[in-house]
Amino acid sequence: MSHNKSLRVATAAVALALAGTTGFAMAAQVPAGVKLAAKQELIRNTGSEPESLDPVLAESVPANTITMDLFEGLTATDSFGKVMPGVAESWKQTSPTTWVFKLRKNAKWSDGSTVTASDFVYGWQRFVEPKTASPYASTYGIFILNGKEITEGKKPASSLGVKAVDKYTLEVQTPYPVPFMPSLVANTQLAPLPKATIDKFGKDWTKPGKMVSNGAFALKDWQVNSKVVVEKNAQYWDVKNVQLGKITYLPIEDHNADVKLYESGENDWVLELPSGTYDKYKAQYPKEIRNAPFLGLRYYSLNNKDPLLKDVRVRKALSMVIDRDILAKKVTADGQAPAYSAIVAGTAGADVTSYDWAKWPMAKRVEEAKKLLAEAGVKPGSKLKFAYNTSDYHKKMAIFAASEWKSKLGLNTELESLEFKVLLKKRHDADYQIARNGWVADYNDATTFLALVQCDNDQNDNKNCNAKAEALIKQGSDSTDQAKRKQLFTQAVKMIMDDYPMIPLLQYTAPRLVKSYVGGYGKNPMDRYRGKDLYIIQH
């Protein structure tokens, strides 16, 4: 949707028809002449066991990949990142801080009951309710009126700025202009939820046989650490345009094992190639190789509360000596670009910033880093503790970083490999010193990356806070001038990154193998591919 236009609305309460087209094709676009296979089944690796299939508790990319097929929000994004109608068939911004969504009347739950505006009100209130403990509550909650206060326990969930005007009309109030609202509500944390089912089964409502969902697929099977299986939802409003009948998601963390399954025909979709193997597989499978940069950041979280890392001089020294060029070209070797900011290239709403030292010769950077450590009283031989989730890819990156800190600064690093769910919890609990981290944009706006470094945000694992930058972010958020908003956000990011809360490393690419008979794969800037948009070609 047209952000720019909405930002120039100013204060005039003029209704702007920004989107909403009813009835156009929104599912798998099968090119003319392409013959579909009789068996429409896809097997794809998601990279790890989902921590939850409750959309408000799903946090990781693996979990959200599945919930995105089980649930549908007001909008959705296609394989090219374009915002499409979801449960809402149209929407408009009626004032700078008010959005009205018109729901389609044929949207159904998998049990055949109708999806209504009240289902969204219930789902959103449950999402921000502190007792739900959603890891995304403050990340998205701040964009809904009273959401921040509710997540902080200062107001009841019933005060959230979302209202069912009637059965098929949802009104959303925001605390300040949120020009990216149509793309924000594509995230399934803001999907409707089946209250009767949740009331009946409690936390078990996400189990097969109990879950009721409204997406293109319904949960069929979930075998922990083995697979999750979904099947086409016969009640889905656009079921006639859904080609796949079944999707199996694998939780394979080992990239080499992922490739072996692919080569043996037991997997159609390698999530990510092992580091350093892209060129090899590109030559071996030229018709199946996929790779493109997207809005994602690889970084290392630094616990800013840690006794050693609370000193900005130490954090800066650790960041300065990691050679991102060698990391990108020699270690990962899959087309990723070096990163020096929390914002990556292609992000709307803020410019990418960098550090002056990024252009220095490495010898000068090392000299300065040693000086900073000496001033901070950190001597060679001091110990660091680094946590990463089990993966050869992350292990190779961690070994590289540890080598940089050892060879250039004389610091010893203890590496700790953890299950992904364990690492997620440790990061959120600040129970770590240095931790592998990564973030994929939920929508294309700077605020999705600002969440990583903003004060008290659920996604800020660094636990840093810069009050002056926070004031700039608030000033930018309140602005209806797009250029001014961008300038303030860029200034705020630069100010925060000068505190060295984290170590930005690389902008993600998606080096993977996808069988040539899998149709519908595009270039989504957020690397999201719904089962609804995919199909199997006759082969």
Side-chain angles (χ1 to χ4, degrees), residues 355-374:
Y355 296 116
D356 291 342
W357 53 256
K359 296 181 180 178
W360 293 0
M362 182 53 73
K364 182 178 178 181
R365 287 159 60 171
V366 173
E367 181 183 0
E368 177 66 16
K370 286 182 175 177
K371 180 181 173 185
L372 290 168
L373 289 185

Side-chain angles (χ1 to χ4, degrees), residues 457-512:
N457 193 293
D458 289 333
Q459 299 302 328
N460 182 347
D461 293 331
N462 320 300
K463 310 305 176 187
N464 64 287
C465 180
N466 185 314
K468 290 183 179 178
E470 204 71 17
L472 292 177
I473 293 171
K474 183 178 186 311
Q475 192 179 341
S477 296
D478 289 338
S479 177
T480 55
D481 181 295
Q482 184 185 20
K484 183 68 174 176
R485 179 180 186 264
K486 184 175 184 179
Q487 179 261 319
L488 289 166
F489 280 179
T490 302
Q491 186 180 347
V493 172
K494 176 62 176 169
M495 188 178 290
I496 292 171
M497 294 310 292
D498 283 345
D499 288 339
Y500 293 86
M502 59 152 77
I503 302 178
L505 294 168
L506 302 169
Q507 178 168 357
Y508 273 104
T509 57
R512 62 173 59 113

Side-chain angles (χ1 to χ4, degrees), residues 97-140:
T97 57
T98 305
W99 290 83
V100 175
F101 294 84
K102 290 290 186 181
L103 277 55
R104 63 183 74 254
K105 296 180 180 178
N106 60 339
K108 304 285 186 182
W109 291 101
S110 53
D111 64 0
S113 58
T114 302
V115 177
T116 68
S118 296
D119 295 328
F120 281 93
V121 174
Y122 167 72
W124 290 24
Q125 290 180 351
R126 179 174 178 267
F127 170 51
V128 297
E129 171 64 57
K131 67 181 180 183
T132 302
S134 168
Y136 261 95
S138 70
T139 306
Y140 293 164

Side-chain angles (χ1 to χ4, degrees), residues 27 32 48 61 69 93 138 141 150 167 221 227 249 258 278 286 295 337 350 355 366 369 379 415 423-424 459 472 530:
S48 72
V61 170
D69 284 336
Q93 189 176 17
S138 70
I150 296 168
K167 191 173 181 179
D221 190 16
K227 63 182 178 181
Y249 311 91
D258 191 8
Y278 174 69
L295 301 177
Y355 296 116
V366 173
K379 299 178 179 178
L415 301 180
L423 180 65
L424 278 174
Q459 299 302 328
L472 292 177
R530 298 184 304 166

Side-chain angles (χ1 to χ4, degrees), residues 110 194 197-198 201 204-213 219:
S110 53
T197 301
I198 295 173
F201 296 114
D204 288 338
W205 81 275
T206 58
K207 292 185 176 179
K210 296 177 180 177
M211 175 182 278
V212 171
S213 61
L219 183 63

Side-chain angles (χ1 to χ4, degrees), residues 308-379:
L308 180 67
L309 299 184
K310 67 182 180 182
D311 191 319
V312 65
R313 293 170 295 188
V314 179
R315 301 196 299 269
K316 181 178 180 180
L318 294 177
S319 185
M320 289 181 76
V321 300
I322 293 181
D323 193 323
R324 277 78 160 176
D325 290 324
I326 292 179
L327 179 64
K329 294 176 182 176
K330 303 293 185 182
V331 180
T332 58
D334 49 18
Q336 297 179 80
Y340 298 91
S341 171
I343 302 289
V344 300
T347 306
D351 291 326
V352 177
T353 61
S354 186
Y355 296 116
D356 291 342
W357 53 256
K359 296 181 180 178
W360 293 0
M362 182 53 73
K364 182 178 178 181
R365 287 159 60 171
V366 173
E367 181 183 0
E368 177 66 16
K370 286 182 175 177
K371 180 181 173 185
L372 290 168
L373 289 185
E375 290 174 354
V378 179
K379 299 178 179 178

Side-chain angles (χ1 to χ4, degrees), residues 42-303:
L42 173 71
I43 303 174
R44 61 182 295 187
N45 180 29
T46 56
S48 72
E49 175 69 14
E51 65 276 10
S52 175
L53 293 184
D54 184 332
V56 306
L57 297 179
E59 177 184 12
S60 67
V61 170
N64 279 288
T65 298
I66 303 172
T67 58
M68 191 168 53
D69 284 336
L70 293 170
F71 294 87
E72 184 173 76
L74 292 164
T75 64
T77 53
D78 68 10
S79 291
F80 293 88
K82 182 181 179 182
V83 177
M84 310 290 287
V87 174
E89 58 184 3
S90 67
W91 55 90
K92 62 183 178 181
Q93 189 176 17
T94 57
S95 82
T97 57
T98 305
W99 290 83
V100 175
F101 294 84
K102 290 290 186 181
L103 277 55
R104 63 183 74 254
K105 296 180 180 178
N106 60 339
K108 304 285 186 182
W109 291 101
S110 53
D111 64 0
S113 58
T114 302
V115 177
T116 68
S118 296
D119 295 328
F120 281 93
V121 174
Y122 167 72
W124 290 24
Q125 290 180 351
R126 179 174 178 267
F127 170 51
V128 297
E129 171 64 57
K131 67 181 180 183
T132 302
S134 168
Y136 261 95
S138 70
T139 306
Y140 293 164
I142 60 173
F143 301 126
I144 314 300
L145 185 65
N146 294 329
K148 182 175 187 295
E149 292 78 4
I150 296 168
T151 61
E152 294 172 346
K154 297 176 181 176
K155 288 186 177 182
S158 59
S159 66
L160 189 67
V162 57
K163 180 174 69 176
V165 177
D166 57 43
K167 191 173 181 179
Y168 299 108
T169 305
L170 188 74
E171 181 183 276
V172 180
Q173 300 283 339
T174 63
Y176 41 78
V178 180
F180 50 88
M181 179 60 73
S183 57
L184 177 70
V185 296
N187 290 284
T188 50
Q189 285 81 6
L190 295 171
L193 289 179
K195 183 176 185 302
T197 301
I198 295 173
D199 287 345
K200 181 178 180 180
F201 296 114
K203 66 179 181 181
D204 288 338
W205 81 275
T206 58
K207 292 185 176 179
K210 296 177 180 177
M211 175 182 278
V212 171
S213 61
N214 76 315
F217 298 87
L219 183 63
K220 181 67 176 179
D221 190 16
W222 183 5
Q223 298 178 30
V224 175
N225 291 323
S226 176
K227 63 182 178 181
V228 174
V229 180
V230 301
E231 292 183 347
K232 186 187 296 189
N233 176 8
Q235 299 292 336
Y236 182 56
W237 64 271
D238 197 26
V239 66
K240 68 180 184 299
N241 288 314
V242 178
Q243 304 299 337
L244 293 179
K246 176 182 176 182
I247 307 173
T248 300
Y249 311 91
L250 304 177
I252 309 300
E253 295 188 359
D254 186 311
H255 295 178
N256 290 296
D258 191 8
V259 173
K260 287 181 180 177
L261 287 173
Y262 181 87
E263 291 183 318
S264 67
E266 299 174 82
N267 179 18
D268 301 314
W269 186 303
V270 170
L271 178 67
E272 186 174 24
L273 291 171
S275 61
T277 65
Y278 174 69
D279 287 341
K280 169 190 169 184
Y281 288 116
K282 182 180 180 182
Q284 188 171 347
Y285 302 108
K287 295 182 179 179
E288 301 173 32
I289 197 78
R290 303 283 189 275
N291 196 17
F294 61 91
L295 301 177
L297 176 70
R298 290 189 189 276
Y299 68 101
Y300 288 159
S301 275
L302 302 174
N303 184 348

